[in-house]
Amino acid sequence: MNPIDYIDQQRDEIIKTYHELHAIAEPSWREEKTSKYILNCLKKAGIKTKIFQGHYGIVAEIPGKTNEVVALRADMDALLQEVDGVVKANHSCGHDAHSTMGLFTALAIASSGIKPKNTIRFIFQPAEEKGEGALQMMKEGVLENVSYLFGVHVRPKVEVPFNQASTVIVHGSAATIKGKIQGVQAHASHPEAGINAIEVAAQLVDKFKQIKIQTEVPYSIKMTQLHTENESTNIIPETAFFSLDARAQTNDVMNQLQLLTQETVDQIIHETGAKITWTLEELVPAAIVNKDAMEITQLAIETILGKENVIPVCISQGGEDFHFYTAKTPGLTATMVGLGCDLAPGLHHPQMKFNLEALIYGTKILTETIVIASDK
């Protein structure tokens, strides 16, 4: 059976699968039920699978005539966030949609009986939301012999309209910086005898606002958390902990932000006498645009939706750990499809919704992409 015809026949099952994955949302590194669900579907279809010790990632393969591999990656985890007053795992970033489309791409190709030129590998990845899953999967060797890698992400309707798709998502680099300010405690009646950690933090905020980089590339660095353990109102606080959110549309500008962060901290240390330490955490790199991969996704989108519904580039200042695969593997031909789906109010919004019809044409686009690439 033609894999595209299979997808049409499985329309109701695709929607059902999405709802079932949505209902068992699980946070990063705890995707047990999600992984078991996907694994069972793959095994029923007779697709070769591999699981790992210590996490719930899955690799599935359809053997080809060569050892060269074309891969499709889908993420599985959900966010922990407050929804209607309750903190719970919630698929507000659409990973349940990505897993659904990745799964049915595998099922469609397997059902067709196609013997591809190149081996086709499906990577179901944990912990994207923590920016750690791609790195772990690379340690497991999932990129062995991979020459082409593709991914997908649902997009807000303000970026990519419904029934359209982009050949690439140019995500920016994002990082969290965690820091500690060590001042000197004093009684509030003699503030001159101490170094107020909160006032030091305020100076940091002001200095970060003054950072200017000579570039047209969008960037930002903002303090997003600040707290002390001081429980007395008449004591100058000596210790404060802070977090910074750093973003840049390119990896070069993110590197500059890191250097400027250290310069800023050094200036405040000199001006205040406080001790300040910081570490870079949860860094995800910016996208590396690959024209060869984009040509393949463009052809796939044109085939499924028509030329008029191809969006050449989707720019996003959000981060995505998919880009670790390319950042750590020079020469890898890769891109991520931006799927228009009428998504609103926005990604990571607790009430995020999208038009489920996009799951059908999204699966078709991914299937066409993998079929084209597997014959290269």
Coordinates of all heavy atoms in Angstrom, one line a residue, residues 7-82:
I7 N -1.9 6.6 5.4 CA -2.2 7.7 6.4 C -3.6 8.1 6.3 O -4.3 8.4 7.3 CB -1.2 8.8 6.1 CG1 0.2 8.4 6.5 CG2 -1.6 10.1 7.0 CD1 1.3 9.3 6.0
D8 N -4.1 8.3 5.1 CA -5.6 8.6 4.9 C -6.5 7.6 5.5 O -7.5 8.0 6.2 CB -5.9 8.7 3.4 CG -5.4 10.0 2.8 OD1 -5.4 11.1 3.5 OD2 -5.0 10.0 1.6
Q9 N -6.2 6.3 5.4 CA -7.0 5.3 6.0 C -6.9 5.3 7.5 O -7.9 4.9 8.2 CB -6.6 3.9 5.4 CG -6.9 3.7 4.0 CD -6.6 2.3 3.5 OE1 -6.2 1.4 4.3 NE2 -6.7 2.1 2.2
Q10 N -5.8 5.7 8.0 CA -5.6 5.7 9.5 C -5.9 7.0 10.2 O -5.5 7.3 11.3 CB -4.1 5.3 9.8 CG -3.7 3.9 9.3 CD -4.5 2.9 10.1 OE1 -4.6 2.9 11.3 NE2 -5.0 1.9 9.4
R11 N -6.6 7.9 9.5 CA -6.9 9.2 10.0 C -7.5 9.2 11.4 O -7.0 9.9 12.3 CB -7.9 10.0 9.1 CG -8.1 11.4 9.5 CD -9.3 12.1 8.8 NE -9.4 13.4 9.3 CZ -10.1 13.7 10.4 NH1 -10.6 12.8 11.2 NH2 -10.2 15.0 10.8
D12 N -8.5 8.4 11.6 CA -9.2 8.4 12.9 C -8.2 7.8 14.0 O -8.2 8.2 15.1 CB -10.5 7.5 12.9 CG -11.6 8.2 12.1 OD1 -11.5 9.4 11.8 OD2 -12.5 7.5 11.7
E13 N -7.4 6.8 13.6 CA -6.5 6.2 14.5 C -5.4 7.2 14.9 O -4.9 7.2 16.0 CB -5.9 5.0 13.9 CG -5.1 4.1 14.9 CD -6.0 3.5 15.9 OE1 -7.2 3.3 15.7 OE2 -5.5 3.2 17.0
I14 N -5.0 8.0 14.0 CA -4.0 9.0 14.3 C -4.5 10.0 15.3 O -3.8 10.4 16.3 CB -3.5 9.8 13.0 CG1 -2.8 8.8 12.0 CG2 -2.7 11.0 13.3 CD1 -2.5 9.4 10.6
I15 N -5.7 10.5 15.1 CA -6.3 11.4 16.1 C -6.5 10.8 17.4 O -6.2 11.4 18.5 CB -7.7 11.9 15.5 CG1 -7.6 12.6 14.2 CG2 -8.3 12.9 16.6 CD1 -6.7 13.8 14.2
K16 N -6.9 9.5 17.4 CA -7.1 8.8 18.7 C -5.8 8.6 19.4 O -5.7 8.8 20.6 CB -7.7 7.4 18.3 CG -7.9 6.4 19.6 CD -8.6 5.2 19.1 CE -8.7 4.1 20.2 NZ -7.4 3.4 20.4
T17 N -4.7 8.3 18.7 CA -3.4 8.1 19.3 C -2.9 9.4 19.9 O -2.4 9.5 21.0 CB -2.4 7.7 18.2 OG1 -2.7 6.4 17.8 CG2 -1.0 7.6 18.8
Y18 N -3.2 10.5 19.2 CA -2.8 11.8 19.8 C -3.5 12.1 21.1 O -2.9 12.5 22.1 CB -3.1 13.0 18.8 CG -3.1 14.3 19.5 CD1 -1.9 15.0 19.7 CD2 -4.3 14.9 19.9 CE1 -1.8 16.2 20.4 CE2 -4.2 16.2 20.6 CZ -3.0 16.8 20.8 OH -3.0 18.0 21.5
H19 N -4.8 11.8 21.2 CA -5.6 12.1 22.4 C -5.1 11.2 23.5 O -5.0 11.6 24.7 CB -7.0 11.8 22.1 CG -7.7 12.9 21.4 ND1 -7.7 14.2 21.8 CD2 -8.4 12.9 20.2 CE1 -8.4 15.0 21.0 NE2 -8.9 14.2 20.0
E20 N -4.7 9.9 23.2 CA -4.2 9.0 24.2 C -2.9 9.4 24.7 O -2.6 9.3 25.9 CB -4.2 7.6 23.6 CG -5.6 7.0 23.4 CD -5.7 5.7 22.8 OE1 -4.7 5.2 22.2 OE2 -6.8 5.1 22.8
L21 N -2.0 9.8 23.9 CA -0.7 10.3 24.3 C -0.8 11.6 25.1 O -0.1 11.8 26.1 CB 0.3 10.6 23.1 CG 0.8 9.3 22.4 CD1 1.6 9.7 21.2 CD2 1.6 8.4 23.4
H22 N -1.7 12.5 24.7 CA -2.0 13.7 25.4 C -2.4 13.4 26.8 O -2.1 14.1 27.8 CB -3.0 14.5 24.7 CG -3.2 15.9 25.2 ND1 -2.4 17.0 24.9 CD2 -4.1 16.5 26.1 CE1 -2.7 18.1 25.5 NE2 -3.8 17.8 26.3
A23 N -3.2 12.4 27.0 CA -3.8 12.1 28.3 C -2.8 11.5 29.3 O -3.0 11.5 30.5 CB -5.0 11.1 28.2
I24 N -1.7 11.0 28.8 CA -0.7 10.4 29.7 C 0.6 11.2 29.7 O 1.7 10.7 29.8 CB -0.3 8.9 29.3 CG1 0.1 8.8 27.8 CG2 -1.5 8.0 29.5 CD1 0.7 7.4 27.4
A25 N 0.5 12.5 29.6 CA 1.6 13.4 29.5 C 2.5 13.2 30.7 O 2.1 13.0 31.9 CB 1.1 14.9 29.6
E26 N 3.8 13.1 30.5 CA 4.8 12.8 31.5 C 6.0 13.8 31.4 O 6.4 14.1 30.2 CB 5.3 11.4 31.4 CG 4.2 10.4 31.6 CD 4.6 9.0 31.1 OE1 4.9 8.9 29.9 OE2 4.7 8.1 31.9
P27 N 6.6 14.3 32.5 CA 7.7 15.2 32.4 C 9.0 14.5 32.0 O 9.1 13.3 31.9 CB 7.8 15.7 33.8 CG 7.3 14.6 34.7 CD 6.2 14.0 33.9
S28 N 10.0 15.4 31.7 CA 11.3 14.9 31.2 C 11.9 13.8 32.1 O 11.9 13.9 33.3 CB 12.3 16.1 31.2 OG 11.8 17.1 30.3
W29 N 12.4 12.8 31.4 CA 13.1 11.6 32.0 C 12.1 10.7 32.7 O 12.5 9.7 33.3 CB 14.2 12.0 33.0 CG 15.3 12.7 32.4 CD1 15.8 14.0 32.8 CD2 16.1 12.3 31.3 NE1 16.8 14.4 32.0 CE2 17.1 13.4 31.1 CE3 16.2 11.2 30.5 CZ2 18.0 13.3 30.1 CZ3 17.1 11.2 29.5 CH2 18.0 12.2 29.3
R30 N 10.8 11.0 32.7 CA 9.8 10.1 33.3 C 8.7 9.7 32.3 O 7.6 9.4 32.6 CB 9.1 10.8 34.5 CG 10.1 11.0 35.7 CD 9.4 11.5 36.9 NE 9.3 12.9 36.9 CZ 8.5 13.6 37.8 NH1 7.8 13.0 38.6 NH2 8.5 14.9 37.7
E31 N 9.1 9.5 31.0 CA 8.2 9.3 29.9 C 7.8 7.8 29.8 O 7.7 7.2 28.7 CB 8.7 9.8 28.6 CG 9.2 11.2 28.6 CD 10.7 11.4 29.0 OE1 11.2 10.4 29.5 OE2 11.3 12.4 28.7
E32 N 7.7 7.1 30.9 CA 7.5 5.6 31.0 C 6.3 5.2 30.2 O 6.3 4.3 29.3 CB 7.4 5.1 32.4 CG 7.3 3.6 32.5 CD 7.3 3.1 33.9 OE1 7.3 3.9 34.9 OE2 7.3 1.9 34.1
K33 N 5.1 5.7 30.5 CA 3.9 5.3 29.8 C 3.9 5.7 28.3 O 3.4 4.9 27.5 CB 2.6 5.9 30.5 CG 2.4 5.5 31.9 CD 1.2 6.2 32.6 CE 1.0 5.8 34.0 NZ -0.1 6.5 34.6
T34 N 4.4 6.9 28.1 CA 4.5 7.3 26.7 C 5.4 6.4 25.8 O 5.0 5.9 24.8 CB 5.0 8.7 26.6 OG1 4.2 9.6 27.4 CG2 5.1 9.2 25.2
S35 N 6.5 6.0 26.4 CA 7.5 5.2 25.7 C 6.9 3.8 25.5 O 7.0 3.2 24.4 CB 8.7 5.0 26.6 OG 9.7 4.2 26.0
K36 N 6.2 3.2 26.5 CA 5.6 1.9 26.4 C 4.5 1.9 25.4 O 4.4 0.9 24.6 CB 5.0 1.5 27.8 CG 4.4 0.1 27.8 CD 3.9 -0.2 29.2 CE 3.3 -1.7 29.2 NZ 2.8 -2.0 30.6
Y37 N 3.7 3.0 25.3 CA 2.6 3.1 24.3 C 3.2 3.0 22.9 O 2.8 2.2 22.0 CB 1.9 4.4 24.5 CG 0.7 4.6 23.6 CD1 -0.6 4.4 24.1 CD2 0.9 5.0 22.3 CE1 -1.7 4.7 23.3 CE2 -0.2 5.2 21.4 CZ -1.5 5.0 21.9 OH -2.6 5.2 21.1
I38 N 4.2 3.9 22.6 CA 4.9 3.9 21.3 C 5.5 2.6 21.0 O 5.4 2.1 19.9 CB 5.9 5.1 21.3 CG1 5.1 6.4 21.4 CG2 6.7 5.1 20.0 CD1 6.0 7.6 21.6
L39 N 6.2 2.0 22.0 CA 7.0 0.8 21.7 C 6.0 -0.4 21.3 O 6.3 -1.1 20.4 CB 7.7 0.4 23.0 CG 8.7 -0.8 22.9 CD1 9.8 -0.5 21.9 CD2 9.3 -1.1 24.3
N40 N 4.9 -0.4 22.0 CA 3.9 -1.5 21.7 C 3.4 -1.3 20.3 O 3.2 -2.3 19.6 CB 2.7 -1.4 22.7 CG 3.1 -1.9 24.1 OD1 4.1 -2.7 24.2 ND2 2.3 -1.6 25.1
C41 N 3.1 -0.1 19.8 CA 2.6 0.1 18.5 C 3.7 -0.3 17.4 O 3.3 -0.9 16.4 CB 2.3 1.6 18.3 SG 0.8 2.2 19.2
L42 N 4.9 0.0 17.7 CA 6.0 -0.3 16.8 C 6.1 -1.8 16.7 O 6.3 -2.4 15.6 CB 7.3 0.3 17.2 CG 7.4 1.9 17.1 CD1 8.6 2.4 17.9 CD2 7.4 2.3 15.7
K43 N 6.1 -2.5 17.8 CA 6.3 -3.9 17.9 C 5.1 -4.6 17.2 O 5.3 -5.6 16.4 CB 6.4 -4.4 19.3 CG 7.7 -4.1 20.0 CD 7.8 -4.7 21.4 CE 9.2 -4.5 22.0 NZ 9.3 -5.0 23.3
K44 N 3.9 -4.2 17.3 CA 2.7 -4.8 16.7 C 2.9 -4.7 15.1 O 2.4 -5.6 14.4 CB 1.5 -4.1 17.1 CG 1.0 -4.4 18.5 CD -0.3 -3.7 18.8 CE -0.7 -4.0 20.3 NZ -2.0 -3.3 20.6
A45 N 3.6 -3.7 14.7 CA 3.8 -3.5 13.2 C 5.0 -4.3 12.7 O 5.3 -4.2 11.5 CB 3.9 -2.0 12.9
G46 N 5.7 -5.0 13.6 CA 6.8 -5.8 13.3 C 8.1 -4.9 13.0 O 9.0 -5.4 12.3
I47 N 8.1 -3.7 13.5 CA 9.3 -2.9 13.3 C 10.3 -3.1 14.4 O 10.0 -3.2 15.6 CB 8.9 -1.4 13.4 CG1 7.8 -1.1 12.2 CG2 10.1 -0.5 13.2 CD1 7.2 0.3 12.3
K48 N 11.6 -3.3 14.0 CA 12.7 -3.6 14.9 C 12.9 -2.4 15.8 O 12.9 -1.2 15.4 CB 13.9 -3.8 14.1 CG 15.2 -4.1 14.9 CD 16.4 -4.2 14.0 CE 17.7 -4.4 14.9 NZ 18.9 -4.5 14.0
T49 N 13.0 -2.6 17.1 CA 13.1 -1.6 18.1 C 14.3 -1.8 19.1 O 14.7 -3.0 19.2 CB 11.8 -1.4 19.0 OG1 11.6 -2.6 19.7 CG2 10.7 -1.0 18.1
K50 N 14.7 -0.7 19.7 CA 15.8 -0.8 20.7 C 15.5 0.1 21.8 O 15.1 1.3 21.6 CB 17.2 -0.5 20.1 CG 18.3 -0.5 21.1 CD 19.6 -0.1 20.4 CE 20.8 -0.1 21.4 NZ 22.1 0.3 20.7
I51 N 15.6 -0.3 23.1 CA 15.4 0.5 24.2 C 16.7 0.6 25.0 O 17.6 -0.1 24.7 CB 14.2 0.0 25.1 CG1 14.4 -1.4 25.6 CG2 12.9 0.2 24.4 CD1 13.4 -1.9 26.5
F52 N 16.7 1.4 26.1 CA 18.0 1.7 26.7 C 17.8 1.7 28.3 O 16.7 1.8 28.8 CB 18.4 3.1 26.4 CG 18.6 3.3 24.9 CD1 17.5 3.8 24.1 CD2 19.7 3.0 24.2 CE1 17.6 4.0 22.7 CE2 19.8 3.1 22.8 CZ 18.8 3.6 22.1
Q53 N 18.9 1.4 28.9 CA 18.9 1.4 30.4 C 19.0 2.9 30.9 O 19.8 3.7 30.3 CB 20.1 0.6 30.9 CG 20.1 -0.8 30.6 CD 19.0 -1.5 31.4 OE1 18.7 -1.2 32.6 NE2 18.3 -2.5 30.7
G54 N 18.2 3.2 31.9 CA 18.4 4.5 32.5 C 17.5 5.6 32.0 O 17.4 6.7 32.5
H55 N 16.8 5.4 30.8 CA 15.8 6.4 30.3 C 14.9 5.7 29.4 O 15.0 4.5 29.1 CB 16.6 7.5 29.6 CG 17.3 7.1 28.4 ND1 16.8 7.0 27.1 CD2 18.6 6.8 28.2 CE1 17.7 6.7 26.2 NE2 18.8 6.5 26.9
Y56 N 13.9 6.4 28.8 CA 12.8 5.8 28.1 C 12.9 6.1 26.6 O 11.9 5.9 25.9 CB 11.5 6.3 28.7 CG 11.3 5.8 30.1 CD1 11.4 6.7 31.1 CD2 11.0 4.5 30.4 CE1 11.2 6.3 32.5 CE2 10.8 4.0 31.7 CZ 11.0 4.9 32.7 OH 10.8 4.5 34.0
G57 N 14.0 6.5 26.1 CA 14.2 6.7 24.7 C 14.0 5.4 23.9 O 14.2 4.3 24.4
I58 N 13.6 5.5 22.6 CA 13.4 4.4 21.7 C 14.0 4.7 20.4 O 14.0 5.8 19.9 CB 11.9 4.1 21.5 CG1 11.1 3.9 22.8 CG2 11.7 2.9 20.6 CD1 9.6 3.9 22.6
V59 N 14.6 3.6 19.8 CA 15.1 3.7 18.4 C 14.4 2.6 17.7 O 14.3 1.4 18.1 CB 16.6 3.6 18.3 CG1 17.0 3.3 16.9 CG2 17.3 4.8 18.8
A60 N 13.8 2.9 16.5 CA 13.2 1.9 15.7 C 13.8 2.0 14.3 O 14.2 3.1 13.8 CB 11.7 2.1 15.6
E61 N 13.9 0.8 13.6 CA 14.5 0.8 12.3 C 13.8 0.0 11.2 O 13.3 -1.1 11.6 CB 16.0 0.3 12.4 CG 17.0 1.3 12.9 CD 18.4 0.9 12.7 OE1 18.7 -0.2 12.2 OE2 19.3 1.7 13.0
I62 N 13.8 0.5 10.0 CA 13.3 -0.2 8.9 C 14.6 -0.4 8.0 O 15.1 0.5 7.5 CB 12.2 0.5 8.1 CG1 11.0 0.7 9.0 CG2 11.9 -0.2 6.8 CD1 9.9 1.6 8.4
P63 N 15.1 -1.7 7.9 CA 16.3 -1.9 7.2 C 16.3 -1.5 5.7 O 15.3 -1.6 5.1 CB 16.5 -3.4 7.3 CG 15.6 -3.8 8.5 CD 14.5 -2.9 8.4
G64 N 17.4 -1.0 5.3 CA 17.5 -0.6 3.8 C 18.5 -1.5 3.2 O 19.1 -2.5 3.7
K65 N 18.8 -1.2 1.9 CA 19.8 -2.0 1.1 C 21.2 -1.6 1.5 O 22.2 -2.3 1.1 CB 19.6 -1.7 -0.4 CG 18.2 -2.2 -0.8 CD 17.9 -1.8 -2.2 CE 16.5 -2.2 -2.7 NZ 16.1 -1.7 -4.0
T66 N 21.4 -0.4 2.2 CA 22.7 0.0 2.6 C 22.7 0.3 4.1 O 21.6 0.4 4.7 CB 23.2 1.3 1.8 OG1 22.4 2.4 2.4 CG2 22.9 1.2 0.4
N67 N 23.9 0.5 4.6 CA 24.0 0.8 6.1 C 23.8 2.3 6.3 O 23.8 2.8 7.5 CB 25.3 0.4 6.6 CG 25.4 -1.2 6.7 OD1 24.4 -1.8 6.9 ND2 26.6 -1.7 6.5
E68 N 23.8 3.1 5.2 CA 23.6 4.6 5.4 C 22.2 4.8 6.0 O 21.2 4.1 5.6 CB 23.8 5.3 4.1 CG 23.8 6.8 4.2 CD 24.2 7.5 2.9 OE1 24.6 6.8 2.0 OE2 24.1 8.7 2.8
V69 N 22.0 5.8 6.9 CA 20.8 5.9 7.6 C 20.2 7.3 7.4 O 20.9 8.3 7.5 CB 21.0 5.7 9.1 CG1 19.7 6.0 9.9 CG2 21.5 4.3 9.4
V70 N 18.9 7.3 7.2 CA 18.0 8.5 7.2 C 17.2 8.4 8.5 O 16.6 7.4 8.7 CB 17.1 8.6 6.0 CG1 16.1 9.8 6.1 CG2 17.9 8.7 4.7
A71 N 17.2 9.5 9.3 CA 16.6 9.4 10.6 C 15.5 10.5 10.8 O 15.7 11.6 10.2 CB 17.6 9.5 11.7
L72 N 14.5 10.2 11.6 CA 13.5 11.1 12.0 C 13.4 11.1 13.5 O 13.3 10.1 14.1 CB 12.1 10.7 11.4 CG 10.9 11.5 11.8 CD1 11.0 13.0 11.3 CD2 9.6 10.9 11.3
R73 N 13.5 12.3 14.1 CA 13.4 12.4 15.5 C 12.1 13.0 16.0 O 11.7 14.0 15.4 CB 14.6 13.2 16.0 CG 14.6 13.6 17.5 CD 13.9 14.9 17.7 NE 14.3 15.6 18.9 CZ 13.9 16.8 19.2 NH1 13.0 17.4 18.5 NH2 14.3 17.4 20.3
A74 N 11.5 12.4 17.0 CA 10.3 13.0 17.7 C 10.6 13.0 19.2 O 11.1 12.1 19.7 CB 9.1 12.2 17.3
D75 N 10.2 14.1 19.8 CA 10.4 14.2 21.3 C 9.1 13.7 22.0 O 8.0 13.8 21.4 CB 10.7 15.6 21.7 CG 10.1 16.7 20.9 OD1 9.1 16.4 20.2 OD2 10.6 17.8 20.9
M76 N 9.2 13.3 23.2 CA 8.1 12.6 23.9 C 7.7 13.3 25.2 O 6.6 13.1 25.7 CB 8.5 11.2 24.3 CG 8.9 10.3 23.2 SD 9.1 8.6 23.7 CE 10.6 8.8 24.8
D77 N 8.5 14.2 25.8 CA 8.2 14.7 27.2 C 7.3 15.9 27.2 O 7.0 16.5 26.2 CB 9.5 15.0 27.9 CG 10.3 16.1 27.2 OD1 10.3 16.1 25.9 OD2 11.0 16.9 27.8
A78 N 6.7 16.1 28.4 CA 5.8 17.2 28.6 C 6.4 18.2 29.6 O 7.4 17.9 30.3 CB 4.4 16.7 29.1
L79 N 5.8 19.4 29.6 CA 6.2 20.4 30.6 C 5.4 20.1 32.0 O 4.3 19.7 32.0 CB 5.8 21.8 30.2 CG 6.7 22.5 29.2 CD1 6.0 23.7 28.6 CD2 8.0 22.9 29.9
L80 N 6.1 20.5 33.1 CA 5.4 20.6 34.3 C 5.0 22.0 34.5 O 5.8 22.9 34.5 CB 6.3 20.2 35.5 CG 6.4 18.7 35.9 CD1 7.4 18.5 37.0 CD2 5.0 18.2 36.3
Q81 N 3.7 22.3 34.5 CA 3.2 23.7 34.7 C 1.8 23.7 35.3 O 1.2 22.7 35.4 CB 3.2 24.3 33.3 CG 2.2 23.8 32.3 CD 2.2 24.5 31.0 OE1 1.8 23.9 30.0 NE2 2.8 25.7 30.9
E82 N 1.5 24.9 35.8 CA 0.2 25.0 36.4 C -0.9 25.2 35.4 O -0.8 26.0 34.5 CB 0.2 26.3 37.3 CG -1.1 26.4 38.1 CD -1.1 27.6 39.1 OE1 0.0 27.8 39.7 OE2 -2.1 28.3 39.3

